[in-house]
């Protein structure tokens, strides 16, 4: 549906994977310095391009840059989340928090496959980018609300050295 010739699929997948490496590098640069902003940017770099692909699926000059930006965000989000988790937990529970983070990724992959299969069967492939964007925007909203609550709670508590 995005207008890629069969013989070009490998190149598109290579570009997508290479862009994820760029996202990983950017996460390494910005996650510690700007933990909140980096995650917001990464999630927006996933949701907006996916929505763009859904709105303009047959226009390669729109789709390909959107794919690259999507992959950059997708490559950046996991290490940024890992960094946020390490900054948000005490040393005592970091191992458990890391296990929960890994488990949440696995649940997300499974649920994404399930939701995608249901939408593919009931609607069409054209519904998938919209569902992806909706869920990513919802994740961003949950993060922003949760982060605001965490910041308020931290402001009320005296500083504790860990």
């Amino acid at each position: 549906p995005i207008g890629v010739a069969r013989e070009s699929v490998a190149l598109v997948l290579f570009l997508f994977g290479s862009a994820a490496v760029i996202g990983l590098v950017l996460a390494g640069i910005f996650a510690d310095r700007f933990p909140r902003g980096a995650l917001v940017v990464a999630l927006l770099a996933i949701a907006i391009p996916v929505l763009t692909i859904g709105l303009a699926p047959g226009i390669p000059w729109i789709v390909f840059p959107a794919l690259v930006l999507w992959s950059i965000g997708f490559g950046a989000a996991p290490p940024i989340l890992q960094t946020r988790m390490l900054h948000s937990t005490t040393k005592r529970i970091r191992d458990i928090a890391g296990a929960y983070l890994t488990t949440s990724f696995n649940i997300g992959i499974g649920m994404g496959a399930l939701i995608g299969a249901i939408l593919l069967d009931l609607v069409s492939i054209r519904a998938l980018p919209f569902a992806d964007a909706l869920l990513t925007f919802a994740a961003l909203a949950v993060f922003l609300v949760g982060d605001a609550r965490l910041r308020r709670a931290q402001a009320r508590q005296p500083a504790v050295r860990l």
Side-chain angles (χ1 to χ4, degrees), residues 30-153:
F30 294 109
D32 273 337
R33 292 184 208 147
F34 310 102
R36 291 173 187 86
L39 186 56
V40 168
V41 169
L43 291 175
L44 288 173
I46 294 168
I48 293 171
V50 168
L51 183 60
T52 301
I53 291 167
L55 293 172
I59 307 172
W61 63 271
I62 292 176
V63 170
F64 293 131
L67 277 171
V68 169
L69 186 56
W70 171 25
S71 184
I72 290 170
F74 207 74
I80 293 169
L81 287 167
Q82 183 78 20
T83 301
R84 293 269 313 164
M85 184 268 308
L86 290 171
H87 286 220
S88 302
T89 58
T90 64
K91 289 180 182 179
R92 187 173 60 88
I93 64 167
R94 282 192 183 142
D95 289 342
I96 294 169
Y100 280 138
L101 184 65
T102 301
T103 301
S104 71
F105 276 116
N106 288 327
I107 291 170
I109 291 167
M111 292 303 295
L114 176 64
I115 292 168
I118 291 169
L119 288 173
L120 193 59
D121 192 43
L122 295 178
V123 184
S124 78
I125 196 168
R126 299 217 186 263
L128 298 180
F130 297 104
D132 183 337
L134 177 68
L135 291 171
T136 306
F137 281 124
L140 177 59
V142 167
F143 165 70
L144 291 172
V145 169
D147 189 62
R149 292 182 72 192
L150 179 63
R151 291 172 77 178
R152 281 193 302 272

